[in-house]
Amino acid sequence: MPLLTLITNVKLEDAQVRPFVSEFSKKASEVIGKPEAEFSVDFTYNPYLTFGGTFEPAIRLHVMSLWNTNAENSVKWSKAFSEFFTEKLGVPNNRGHMSFIDPGDAFIGFKGTSVAALVAASK
């Protein structure tokens, strides 16, 4: 159940937002290696986002993914997302931070319970 939050100060035209978010969701599924149907993607334009004290194009990405977040994947994911943001938003790879965390299945809610409880009930 990957949860992605992308914040950027790069302004997209209204007609570009949905296609970009859809493309980002598909890319995230490919990069993280889980079905897109499991993804929740939040995109926020924030003109006040700074990086390094400037308002030049920047991003901040938060990724929560159960059971596959590790040091090796953090490097792989960072590279793939950096390339995507450079290509699609014009944000250089030195203009943002990305966090990749696995909070544990007991700390992700779904269907009125936790993922851990759902997994336990399915056994």
Side-chain angles (χ1 to χ4, degrees):
M1 308 213 163
L3 312 171
L4 287 76
T5 302
L6 173 62
I7 304 165
T8 185
N9 60 4
V10 176
K11 174 83 169 139
L12 298 176
E13 298 299 322
D14 288 344
Q16 297 173 306
V17 175
R18 284 180 184 246
F20 172 80
V21 173
S22 292
E23 186 175 3
F24 176 49
S25 180
K26 285 175 183 38
K27 180 68 173 183
S29 172
E30 171 190 309
V31 170
I32 292 173
K34 293 188 177 182
E36 187 179 9
E38 296 179 2
F39 279 71
S40 174
V41 176
D42 179 23
F43 172 81
T44 302
Y45 165 66
N46 179 355
Y48 307 108
L49 176 66
T50 64
F51 187 87
T54 76
F55 292 98
E56 293 175 38
I59 60 93
R60 186 169 60 217
L61 176 66
H62 303 284
V63 176
M64 283 195 293
S65 183
L66 295 175
W67 308 307
N68 68 340
T69 303
N70 56 52
E72 182 180 320
N73 279 345
S74 290
V75 171
K76 175 184 153 190
W77 298 350
S78 181
K79 181 180 187 313
F81 288 128
S82 290
E83 290 170 354
F84 181 80
F85 298 140
T86 297
E87 178 186 343
K88 302 298 179 181
L89 297 175
V91 177
N93 69 1
N94 66 344
R95 294 286 306 157
H97 289 127
M98 300 178 202
S99 63
F100 306 106
I101 62 169
D102 179 343
D105 58 7
F107 302 100
I108 298 287
F110 185 61
K111 294 185 177 179
T113 187
S114 71
V115 172
L118 291 169
V119 169
S122 71
K123 292 182 179 183

